[in-house]
Amino acid sequence: MTAVLNVEKFYERLNRFHAHFVKHRESTWNGAYCISISKGAQSEESRYLKSTVIHFYLFGYELPDTVILLTKDGQCVILAAKKKCDFLEPAVGKAPKDGTVTSLKLLPRIKSNDNAENLEEMLKVARGGSNGENVKIGVIMKEFTSNDEAKEGSIISRWEKKLNDKSSKTETVDVAGGISVVMAVKDKEELDLLKKSSVLSNKVLKHGFVPRIEDVIDNGLKVTHEKLASEVEEILEDPSKIKLNVPREAVDSCYFPIIQSGGDYDFKVSAQSNDENVKFDVITVSLGARYQMYCSNVVRTFLVDAPKQVIKNYDTLLGLHEACLKAMVSGNPLKFVYATAIKYLRDEGKDDLIDALPKTLGFGVGIDFRDTHLLLNKKNTVVFRPGMVFSLAVSFAGLKLNENAKASINSKSAIKNLSEYGLMLADTVAITDNGAEVMTKFGKAVTDISYTINEDDEEEESDDDDDMRLAKKIAKEEEAHPTGGRRSGRLAANASSAQESEGVAERERKQIDLMARRNEERLRELARSSKKKGGDNKAKKSEELEAYKDSKSLPDNVLPNQVKVDMANQCVILPICGNPVPFHISTIKNVVLPDPDSAAYLRINFYTAGMAVGKDCPENTVKLIQKYAPYATFIREMTFRSLDSHSLTTAFRQISELRKRAKMKELQDQEEANLVKQDSLVRTKNERVPRLADLTMRPVFAGRKTQGNLEAHTNGLRFISTRGEIVDVMYTNIKHAIFQPCENEIMVLIHFHLRNPIMIGKKKHQDVQFFTEVVDASQAVDAGRRNMYDPDEMDDEQRERQLRKRLNEAFKEFCRKVESVTRKNGYSLEFDIPYRDLGFTGNPHKEMVAIQPTLNCLCNLTETPFFVVDLSNVDHVHFERVTFMSKAFDMVLINKDFTKQPWRIDMIPNEDKDSIQKFHAAFSGIQKEWLTDMEISYTEGPMNLNWKQIMQTVEGDDRFYMDTEEDEVTPKEAGWEFLRMHGKDDDVDEESEEESVYSEKSEEEESSDEDSEEEDFDDDDDDESDFDGDEDLEEQGMDWDDMEREAAADDRKKKRDGDEVADARPKRKSRR
């Protein structure tokens, strides 16, 4: 979006600055004749600098490397780069006649003479009619005197040198205090933004931190202060996680949230959350939201199993907070708040708490989070005025908790170990004509912030008895009325106790309930996700290219007019005007050597801004182009001509070879980028090591086969090939271990699906398999006919059966020993076995294979590439091409990580659809509740969908799992409900002919009048028409009704009376 200056607001605020400056020039502004505000380069550390704050206040944007000069007679001169001057150009000549600012003049930067003319003109304006006397120029002294490297070579560095020059006859004075006083009083728009910022802080505390800390306390979870603070910061930066409809680009965190407990308390703004676990005693949380650059702050203390002494001190803190609020009245000086606090404690007989007070009881807030000129301390004489906003922060630090006070506390309570604690309260407060108004309204009363989790011993015993009685009651109810939930860890155990299958309508109702529950669970998962993911996704900074430190490092044999390739430093040295200039190989897009005529030509194309760099461009080069694109000049193409074709041909060949090497190196780096360093294997000594011999490993190192032995050691497995190659698989890195015995296959195998990939050869792999073939896959079949009673044939079959049994027993025994070794050494590993009776055929890659489920996976392990889907990573399953006409359908398993494309299994026979969706007690017949039992929702539809586009849309939708639009009123389909072929009410009321099969009506919508129903229906159809489905189906020219009519005609033609499929087929309604 193009930045546009709000001219009216700019002059309104500039006039406010100037009017106060003229009126209080001799006092607040230290007698300055003019004000000079210099803004340096943009950086993360500069967002709370006074100059940055002024830029956002006046312009609404930050304009780096800019000087603003404002004189007492109303002249405003701005020195900046041309683009910034173009941004400010609309304000030139638009100064209001009733304002004190009379003119605005822009001085674009002149590169040729280092702005000498502009600086002289600005100095002339600054001196005004001084008649040769020294002139006081007001600056922000803290920034003016800083030796910031970002100033070097900039406009402001030259301007500041000019002011420091004795010949300029200028004297600098600090005017930061005057700037703070002017900006302290907020206008109506600023107060509205500050109120919204305060509401955001309040909501994050109420709906983000409090539910999380209650969950931690209730379940006794171990979580560090830093981890908890990271979760709060994620909510501050993305409020949609607590269902707040706020644009992400408008919000930010003022500072990293501060969470403290366990006796270690620091109530300074610069405090940090440490990496110690949260203790359930006295917990303080401090957080601040920033909404459209305006800051707010809120701090609360939560008490767990607090003794009476702590509660009494907290009540005193509450009273102190109220007394300070009453002192914040227009006309009172800021120091009156601190005096009121001391008076209150003395009146309450709490003189011992005076020493526990901090040096300041708050500070002014706005665009600047903490204005040091508006501190609520003992000395500040600035007067409260309506429109000012402060963070009132009262606290007691270093309070002692003696043993007598802890005597009545339960021995299990964490507060028993506390010897020192602190209490703190802070709110964002606005000064009005009627007194102070608190804008962060989260409750502060003891009942709002206190928790009791450990009662007296007698009460605890009675509670345990109650819990025991309740548990027995629930167990009896479960026996009398089974809920259908899994009672054991094994899928087979649940299947063996399952009752006969339910009807389609009942299954659909279960799926609707399951999907609603899954949507809520996914919302909670996203809200509680740690910052680790966000940290992992942070883009790495670009690395500057440096092949030579200086010109002396260039190769000695470089000639002035020769193209030279330096393979060692990955550089191409090109002659430009007789001077050798090095270009890194990563900046070269391609090189072309046209057919020579009278002379040879060599054309070199470079990656530049303003053009598509292509997928072959190195990642670091892309980042460098983005970094320098706004202000750098790029070379797009260079062509060299030579009468000697040999030299250019040699250069062409060397450049091509160097580009190839660089590309291979980058691919290798990318391959190894996300590898997690594995622990070193600890070999088992002084005891027998479980071993399987003569195994083949997949994937292979090199060649046709990798054969060797597999051993189980203390902390991992080691495979040693016959060629001496070693592969170590740590127990901690094994996510799923699968043992597949040989029954109908040609091999018996052990398969490991890893948490983190490992390098095997030159590639990383997440699946490792060890197997032994029972029958040679390439065994030749005799062309001659064999008698079924042939003794040789019968002997071969018998030997094969015995070999299968022997190998199965050997692998099974090895798996048992590995499980025993892991338990012995403190690890957990259990081998799963695929359920063959639940298997089906499908095409996950490019051939039809047998797909079999395990307890945790859906897999095919016999054919390569392996197909292993971790069901815990599956968010939803969708069946495509489910029609009465087709003989096969496709299954799409959607990953919880929306950045990844779904898994697909194509061409599954129609008879297997029910066996996937539901399974029976004996693993036979229809199996239509497998997915429901695994807590995975599913839908089905008649067409193939464009999943790449769908996943891009879903990834960018912050409210995907919510059932309302951003206004939180308009209903919408939550989660994957939009894929459902029937609406929610189709099973209950099939007589409703008006509804589309793709619409989803609630009971409230059904009860509305006909007109609103038609409008809703039309809206649904509009949304539906915008969806980009599979184009292949559209080209067939046949809709659902046409296919039904064709099927009905075909049935009548064949005279199939009593066809159950035709009778049971639900009546479909047409899409408009």
Side-chain angles (χ1 to χ4, degrees), residues 542-601:
S542 59
E543 296 180 3
E544 298 295 335
L545 302 175
E546 181 179 334
Y548 307 106
K549 294 183 178 180
D550 50 42
S551 59
K552 296 179 182 179
S553 302
L554 289 172
D556 297 332
N557 57 351
V558 174
L559 298 178
N561 292 312
Q562 183 185 23
V563 177
K564 176 72 175 178
V565 180
D566 187 350
M567 305 292 282
N569 291 308
Q570 295 187 323
C571 268
V572 180
I573 303 172
L574 303 176
I576 299 178
C577 300
N579 297 313
V581 180
F583 290 83
H584 197 271
I585 191 65
S586 62
T587 63
I588 297 177
K589 184 177 183 181
N590 55 45
V591 57
V592 181
L593 184 70
D595 293 334
D597 43 21
S598 59
Y601 293 89

Side-chain angles (χ1 to χ4, degrees), residues 763-780:
K763 292 186 179 180
K764 60 182 180 181
H765 298 273
Q766 200 160 4
D767 291 276
V768 184
Q769 185 181 106
F770 307 97
F771 69 92
T772 294
E773 289 184 339
V774 179
V775 180
D776 191 353
S778 59
Q779 178 179 343

Side-chain angles (χ1 to χ4, degrees), residues 840 842-843 877-883 886-893 903-910 913 916-917 939-945 947 1030:
F840 56 93
N843 177 13
V877 175
H878 183 68
F879 298 98
E880 298 180 331
R881 298 194 300 121
V882 179
T883 68
S886 62
K887 296 181 180 180
F889 66 96
D890 305 330
M891 181 166 67
V892 179
L893 300 105
W903 299 280
R904 290 188 64 89
I905 306 176
D906 297 330
M907 297 303 296
I908 304 173
N910 259 358
K913 180 165 73 75
I916 295 169
Q917 295 177 348
T939 52
E940 56 186 49
M943 65 181 69
N944 289 110
L945 303 177
W947 287 102
D1030 187 12

Side-chain angles (χ1 to χ4, degrees), residues 946-963:
N946 186 346
W947 287 102
K948 184 176 182 180
Q949 180 177 348
I950 290 175
M951 298 311 294
Q952 288 176 350
T953 305
V954 169
E955 183 185 359
D957 187 0
D958 294 334
R959 301 185 62 83
F960 177 68
Y961 288 104
M962 301 181 189
D963 57 1

Side-chain angles (χ1 to χ4, degrees), residues 776-790:
D776 191 353
S778 59
Q779 178 179 343
V781 179
D782 224 351
R785 304 182 85 182
R786 291 195 177 189
N787 192 319
M788 63 181 297
Y789 300 108
D790 184 357

Side-chain angles (χ1 to χ4, degrees), residues 594-665:
D595 293 334
D597 43 21
S598 59
Y601 293 89
L602 180 67
R603 185 170 72 249
I604 301 176
N605 297 317
F606 298 89
Y607 292 111
T608 63
M611 63 181 292
V613 294
K615 61 182 180 181
D616 293 333
C617 182
E619 183 180 359
N620 189 56
T621 303
V622 174
K623 294 175 182 176
L624 287 172
I625 291 174
Q626 293 173 351
K627 178 180 178 181
Y628 291 106
Y631 52 84
T633 302
F634 289 80
I635 298 174
R636 175 166 293 186
E637 177 185 319
M638 295 179 70
T639 303
F640 297 91
R641 177 179 180 274
S642 176
L643 296 175
D644 179 14
S645 61
H646 175 73
S647 60
L648 291 185
T649 303
T650 303
F652 171 77
R653 188 181 68 255
Q654 291 178 340
I655 294 173
S656 301
E657 177 64 22
L658 186 55
R659 289 186 68 245
K660 182 179 178 181
R661 292 184 189 179
K663 183 64 178 176
M664 291 177 63
K665 180 67 168 58

Side-chain angles (χ1 to χ4, degrees), residues 688-801:
R688 191 177 181 86
V689 177
R691 179 183 287 106
L692 271 180
D694 299 328
L695 299 181
T696 302
M697 185 185 77
R698 292 191 292 187
V700 299
F701 268 103
R704 184 181 177 188
K705 284 186 177 181
T706 302
Q707 294 181 314
N709 301 331
L710 182 64
E711 301 174 347
H713 291 277
T714 303
N715 65 336
L717 297 144
R718 168 164 286 185
F719 176 80
I720 306 175
S721 74
T722 54
R723 294 190 292 267
E725 299 152 331
I726 295 177
V727 174
D728 291 337
V729 180
M730 299 297 110
Y731 297 138
T732 54
N733 194 31
I734 298 175
K735 190 171 187 180
H736 300 300
I738 304 171
F739 162 51
Q740 180 175 295
C742 176
E743 293 186 12
N744 300 321
E745 299 83 9
I746 63 173
M747 62 181 68
V748 55
L749 60 88
I750 294 174
H751 188 95
F752 297 110
H753 183 67
L754 307 179
R755 300 179 188 276
N756 302 303
I758 61 174
M759 291 296 293
I760 299 178
K762 295 183 179 180
K763 292 186 179 180
K764 60 182 180 181
H765 298 273
Q766 200 160 4
D767 291 276
V768 184
Q769 185 181 106
F770 307 97
F771 69 92
T772 294
E773 289 184 339
V774 179
V775 180
D776 191 353
S778 59
Q779 178 179 343
V781 179
D782 224 351
R785 304 182 85 182
R786 291 195 177 189
N787 192 319
M788 63 181 297
Y789 300 108
D790 184 357
D792 293 336
E793 183 74 13
M794 295 175 69
D795 288 343
D796 290 342
E797 290 179 359
Q798 182 66 20
R799 280 194 297 270
E800 185 180 323
R801 281 194 294 270

